[in-house]
Structure formats: structure tokens, C-alpha cells
Amino acid sequence: MRHPLWGTWLTLLFIPLVVLGITSSRVAAQATVPLRVQVIYAANEPGGVDSRLGGLAVDLQRTFRYSMYQLLDAPQGSVALNQGWRAGLPGDRWLEIVPTAIQAGQYSLTVRVLSPGGQALVNTAVRLRRGATVLVGGPTHQKGVLIIGITVPQ
């Protein structure tokens, strides 16, 4: 036979666990992710590397192998988890970044470059740590391509 307070004890143990679960999911849902983006034009043209790219220049040259890298724009902002953040790109295109998870110090992001009509020209998922930069090769632009550098600042 069970103790008469058995159900009461289970209830008292269960309620804090449910409240804890609701609280932690609300905190995760309200988390905001700061974003810093560098929109870079890369081409095999004279011009070298834009000095404003700083230490990112080495990674660009090692990864993409163009002769010219020019910083076109450097939008920044913040966005809530599972919400979209947008920035305009040359050619009436849009960059859309959606943070989908924050786990063990890593940020998971969905990155899309959208055409003027809303079609995804680039659609990828990336993971990065705070302070790190990930480079995403984008669509063609003029005689080269756009490269998107995404950083979650420290």
C-alpha cells in the first residue's frame, strides 16, 4: 500500500521541474544574438586587399584565391533566436540570417542570400563560436563574387 502523501510528493517534485522547463525555454526564446557582417566583393582584378578587412585578409586569400577584395558594407545588429535579421546586398538582393540555436558556446545560424524576387541564391547553415568569423561564398557580382563574413562579436 502506498503512503497517503505519495501523490502529493510527486506533485511537489513535478511542478518545479515543469516551471524550470518553461523558464529555460523562455530564456532561450528571448536570447538575442549580436551580428556583425562584412559584405566583400572579390574578383581577379587589380586592387589588392582593402585595408579595412584587417586580419580577415589572410583567411580570404587562403580560402578564395582572388586577387582583389573590397569591403562594400559592414552592417551590424542583433536578432532574437529563431527570428530573421536582414541586410541589403548589391543587386537588390538580401542577406537573411536566422540564429537557430545556442549550445555549448556555439551559435548555429541559417544564412540565405535572396534574389530580388525572394528566391534563395545561397542557403546554408553554419556554426561558429563568439568572436569567430565564418566566410560564406555568395552569388556573382560584377566581374567576381560577393563573400559574406559573419561574426558573433564578443
Side-chain angles (χ1 to χ4, degrees):
M1 186 160 146
R2 288 191 177 146
H3 190 280
L5 295 177
W6 176 250
T8 304
W9 287 109
L10 282 178
T11 302
L12 291 174
L13 290 172
F14 182 71
I15 289 174
L17 292 175
V18 171
V19 170
L20 181 62
I22 290 171
T23 303
S24 64
S25 66
R26 281 188 185 155
V27 168
Q30 293 174 354
T32 58
V33 177
L35 296 171
R36 187 175 66 223
V37 171
Q38 293 170 295
V39 180
I40 303 156
Y41 171 55
N44 285 319
E45 297 179 351
V49 179
D50 190 328
S51 62
R52 296 175 295 169
L53 293 170
L56 191 58
V58 173
D59 291 333
L60 285 164
Q61 291 173 316
R62 185 177 2 175
T63 305
F64 293 100
R65 309 234 189 251
Y66 288 97
S67 60
M68 186 270 298
Y69 298 92
Q70 178 186 10
L71 181 64
L72 299 180
D73 197 7
Q76 46 188 327
S78 62
V79 62
L81 201 59
N82 294 311
Q83 299 295 312
W85 178 83
R86 282 190 170 193
L89 294 175
D92 293 323
R93 295 173 282 201
W94 289 94
L95 170 65
E96 180 182 74
I97 300 174
V98 179
T100 56
I102 304 169
Q103 188 173 27
Q106 288 202 351
Y107 294 81
S108 297
L109 310 172
T110 298
V111 179
R112 298 184 336 151
V113 174
L114 304 171
S115 71
Q119 180 182 16
L121 303 172
V122 173
N123 188 6
T124 191
V126 299
R127 290 177 66 177
L128 71 157
R129 291 200 176 280
R130 186 174 285 267
T133 299
V134 65
L135 297 171
V136 177
T140 60
H141 179 67
Q142 296 175 359
K143 296 179 182 178
V145 297
L146 292 178
I147 298 171
I148 311 298
I150 302 167
T151 306
V152 176
Q154 291 189 340

